[in-house]
Amino acid sequence: MELDFRKLDGLVPAVVQDFSSGEVLMLGFMNAEALEATQASGEVTFYSRSRQRLWKKGERSGHRLRVRELRVDCDADAVLARVEALGPGVCHEGYRSCFYRRLEADGSAAMAEERTFDPREVYEEGKQP
Amino acid sequence: MELDFRKLDGLVPAVVQDFSSGEVLMLGFMNAEALEATQASGEVTFYSRSRQRLWKKGERSGHRLRVRELRVDCDADAVLARVEALGPGVCHEGYRSCFYRRLEADGSAAMAEERTFDPREVYEEGKQP
């Protein structure tokens, strides 16, 4: 089937979910090439909007995402990658999930998870996993 | 905290997850106003890109999404709404989740879920939940 990459200038959002726990780990974007690379390698590859190139998740950290199942939504404009996440977490801030903060009713953010690793030991500049 | 709506022309992707089962139900987009409406009403409100207006999920079908928790990601450019989903499913095609198809290695799509309701009985024109 053809995905609809037209709505976001060649990209579709890609939700990453832990296959075992069901936890939502992160959200990235894929272009057609990134989706092909994901399917060919069996590991999640995004298109990095900031760096304007393919970005294989874990290429620096080793925290790669092995695809167990890819899903597509009704409008074919979003992807769900159900994965086995290698390593202690996907987030460059040192958490299992990038969604580690809760938005409170007053607009503030509260920590909802504990750090699972020290990002300084994984990322030299502490950025861009 | 301030969300970063600049990367997608005023929008952030919003992943909807069933609070109890962990199932990813759908992905929509929110602008600042939709996020405010979601927080104020306690029910998920998107910004519809096709209709260019706020879209309270379930406004026609009654299949509303009661927010149990809102999460924000590390870059503050994506939202995760963990919800209690009212009704038999969120998808205008008649499924619990919009991600009811699996993308196979050969590029084809396979049904991964069973229909939970008849969309013709819920949506008059069978579109736009």
Side-chain angles (χ1 to χ4, degrees):
Chain A
M1 73 177 300
E2 294 290 317
L3 264 70
D4 186 351
F5 290 101
R6 294 167 303 181
K7 291 180 187 170
L8 285 181
D9 289 335
L11 302 176
V12 294
V15 181
V16 176
Q17 181 184 34
D18 187 286
F19 188 85
S20 301
S21 69
E23 190 178 6
V24 174
L25 299 176
M26 64 184 297
L27 183 138
F29 291 87
M30 291 183 183
N31 59 7
E33 197 185 350
L35 179 61
E36 274 177 35
T38 298
Q39 290 182 292
S41 68
E43 296 188 337
V44 171
T45 302
F46 297 112
Y47 178 79
S48 166
R49 295 177 295 174
S50 55
R51 288 173 284 167
Q52 301 191 315
R53 67 165 177 85
L54 290 195
W55 159 41
K56 181 165 189 166
K57 178 71 181 89
E59 63 190 10
R60 285 181 54 209
S61 64
H63 302 165
R64 301 192 307 279
L65 302 171
R66 279 199 192 130
V67 176
R68 298 287 293 271
E69 188 179 60
L70 282 179
R71 297 274 189 108
V72 58
D73 78 344
C74 47
D75 294 330
D77 60 5
V79 165
L80 170 64
R82 302 177 69 209
V83 307
E84 178 189 350
L86 305 185
V90 307
C91 183
H92 74 287
E93 298 286 358
Y95 297 88
R96 261 193 68 71
S97 163
C98 293
F99 293 97
Y100 57 85
R101 288 174 298 184
R102 193 165 41 235
L103 261 187
E104 304 287 11
D106 64 2
S108 67
M111 301 306 291
E113 295 188 12
E114 301 282 328
R115 272 218 165 96
T116 53
F117 65 99
D118 183 346
R120 291 169 303 184
E121 292 177 4
V122 174
Y123 306 109
E124 281 161 44
E125 305 99 33
K127 284 194 68 76
Q128 299 292 16
Chain B
M1 72 178 300
E2 294 290 317
L3 265 71
D4 185 352
F5 290 101
R6 295 166 303 180
K7 291 179 187 170
L8 285 181
D9 289 336
L11 303 176
V12 293
V15 181
V16 176
Q17 182 184 34
D18 187 288
F19 188 85
S20 301
S21 70
E23 190 178 5
V24 174
L25 300 175
M26 64 182 297
L27 183 138
F29 291 87
M30 293 182 182
N31 61 5
E33 198 184 349
L35 179 61
E36 274 177 35
T38 298
Q39 289 182 293
S41 67
E43 296 189 336
V44 171
T45 303
F46 297 111
Y47 179 80
S48 167
R49 295 177 295 173
S50 56
R51 287 171 286 167
Q52 301 190 317
R53 67 165 177 85
L54 289 194
W55 160 40
K56 182 165 189 165
K57 178 70 181 89
E59 63 190 12
R60 286 181 54 211
S61 63
H63 302 166
R64 301 191 307 279
L65 302 171
R66 278 198 192 131
V67 176
R68 297 288 293 271
E69 188 179 58
L70 281 179
R71 296 275 188 107
V72 59
D73 78 345
C74 47
D75 294 330
D77 58 7
V79 166
L80 170 64
R82 302 178 68 209
V83 307
E84 178 190 350
L86 305 186
V90 307
C91 182
H92 73 287
E93 298 286 356
Y95 298 87
R96 261 192 68 69
S97 162
C98 293
F99 293 97
Y100 57 84
R101 287 174 299 182
R102 193 166 39 234
L103 259 187
E104 304 288 11
D106 65 2
S108 67
M111 301 306 290
E113 295 188 12
E114 302 282 328
R115 272 217 165 97
T116 54
F117 65 99
D118 183 346
R120 291 170 302 184
E121 292 178 4
V122 174
Y123 306 109
E124 281 163 44
E125 304 99 35
K127 285 194 66 74
Q128 299 291 15

